[in-house]
Amino acid sequence: MSPLAEPLLRVSAVTKHFQGVEALGAVDLEVAGGSVHGVVGPNGAGKTTLLNVVSGYVPPDEGRVVLGGRDVTRLTPQRRVPLGIVRTFQNIRLFGGLTVLENVLLGQHSRAVTGARSLWPLRTGGDRRLRAEAERSLELFGLTDYRGRRAAELPYGLQKQLEMARALAARPKVLLLDEPASGMTAEDRRSLVPRIRELRDEGLTVVVVEHDMDVISNICDHVTVLNFGRRLTDGPPGQVLASDEVRTAYLGT
Ligand SMILES: Nc1ncnc2c1ncn2[C@@H]1O[C@H](COP(=O)(O)OP(=O)(O)OP(=O)(O)O)[C@@H](O)[C@H]1O
């Protein structure tokens, strides 16, 4: 990002404590539109808390979250989705009894309305445009052949892909992925990389928390490293991941 460009997402001086533990201490994050931005760091560094603050699941003690110039710090997660902040979770949260396609259709409607009307496309078969969009999300994540299967029946790696397909269906401006590669087979991990790149090439902005450094270095334009709730450093992945201070933070030596 050029120093003059306004980031699409800006987190400013966010602090969060849990019972005296500082999970985040005055953390800044600037995410350029159309980029993939990685957030890495050792266990307990504050990565998920940062995603929770950006998506609205955890209110910060101090600091601000601004999307496209609009302050969203006080909005609920549900109010942030239609504005374009959509996330996946470390622990999968799907509707196991619904089909793969139905899960994606529900994802589409989380961007507009909540309550009974949000089930409208399931009841009526949905309109063609929404269907086509849902099919596209399924295709992108290799789920087309599974569209009629109950989500709970899918193997774990495909459930993770479905979580991403459903989040994508909400048409995010910023897609927040919490450990998308965790629990996936090596093959699933390999297929994740081109999928996320393709989304970025289409203009989507992605913030990804991930422990797999191969995935991070293959998909990210920029990486922020957290350590003990503080921003240790940030920059291009090659430079950041090779730095001595980052290696020391990970190895604890
Ligand atoms: N709801 C909570 N209640 C109490 N403490 C919490 C809560 N959420 C996070 N913490 C604490 O805040 C700190 C940061 O946790 P967080 O989950 O954000 O780290 P992380 O970098 O995502 O870790 P991991 O890589 O293990 O998922 C940890 O000390 C954690 O125990």
Side-chain angles (χ1 to χ4, degrees), residues 87-109:
R87 70 172 298 177
T88 65
F89 292 87
Q90 215 169 316
N91 304 312
I92 293 173
R93 298 187 185 185
L94 292 168
F95 297 97
L98 297 183
T99 67
V100 166
L101 177 62
E102 286 167 344
N103 269 277
V104 173
L105 289 171
L106 276 174
Q108 286 178 334
H109 274 250

Side-chain angles (χ1 to χ4, degrees), residues 11 13-18 21-28 39-50 224-233 249:
V11 172
V14 160
T15 294
K16 181 70 192 178
H17 291 86
F18 293 106
V21 174
E22 186 185 75
L24 295 172
V27 168
D28 294 325
V39 178
V40 305
N43 291 109
K47 306 178 295 294
T48 293
T49 304
L50 184 58
T224 295
V225 184
L226 296 182
N227 194 26
F228 294 113
R230 301 267 164 172
R231 180 162 79 169
L232 186 64
T233 182

Side-chain angles (χ1 to χ4, degrees), residues 34 64 86 91 95 109 111 142 177-179 186 196 209 221 232:
R64 298 199 315 150
V86 182
N91 304 312
F95 297 97
H109 274 250
R111 70 183 175 227
L177 301 176
D178 197 356
E179 299 198 20
I196 292 177
V209 166
D221 303 295
L232 186 64

Side-chain angles (χ1 to χ4, degrees), residues 47-132:
K47 306 178 295 294
T48 293
T49 304
L50 184 58
L51 284 199
N52 285 340
V53 168
V54 171
S55 54
Y57 285 85
V58 162
D61 301 337
E62 287 166 44
R64 298 199 315 150
V65 178
V66 175
L67 177 75
R70 176 170 178 174
D71 191 328
V72 299
T73 317
R74 302 279 155 231
L75 299 184
T76 61
Q78 293 72 22
R79 296 276 307 281
R80 292 184 204 202
V81 170
L83 297 177
I85 299 178
V86 182
R87 70 172 298 177
T88 65
F89 292 87
Q90 215 169 316
N91 304 312
I92 293 173
R93 298 187 185 185
L94 292 168
F95 297 97
L98 297 183
T99 67
V100 166
L101 177 62
E102 286 167 344
N103 269 277
V104 173
L105 289 171
L106 276 174
Q108 286 178 334
H109 274 250
S110 64
R111 70 183 175 227
V113 286
T114 53
R117 273 198 66 206
S118 66
L119 290 168
W120 174 79
L122 300 181
R123 303 240 165 95
T124 64
D127 81 23
R128 270 202 204 121
R129 192 178 51 79
L130 288 176
R131 279 269 168 172

Side-chain angles (χ1 to χ4, degrees), residues 106-186:
L106 276 174
Q108 286 178 334
H109 274 250
S110 64
R111 70 183 175 227
V113 286
T114 53
R117 273 198 66 206
S118 66
L119 290 168
W120 174 79
L122 300 181
R123 303 240 165 95
T124 64
D127 81 23
R128 270 202 204 121
R129 192 178 51 79
L130 288 176
R131 279 269 168 172
E133 220 179 275
E135 295 286 354
R136 163 90 221 296
S137 293
L138 293 181
E139 191 188 332
L140 184 66
F141 286 96
L143 292 164
T144 304
D145 292 346
Y146 301 89
R147 66 152 85 69
R149 292 269 293 275
R150 288 194 324 121
E153 292 168 7
L154 298 186
Y156 186 80
L158 287 180
Q159 290 192 12
K160 293 212 78 152
Q161 309 275 11
L162 177 54
E163 267 241 317
M164 286 183 268
R166 187 180 60 175
L168 189 64
R171 278 204 219 145
K173 289 193 178 111
V174 179
L175 177 62
L176 310 172
L177 301 176
D178 197 356
E179 299 198 20
S182 77
M184 281 189 172
T185 61

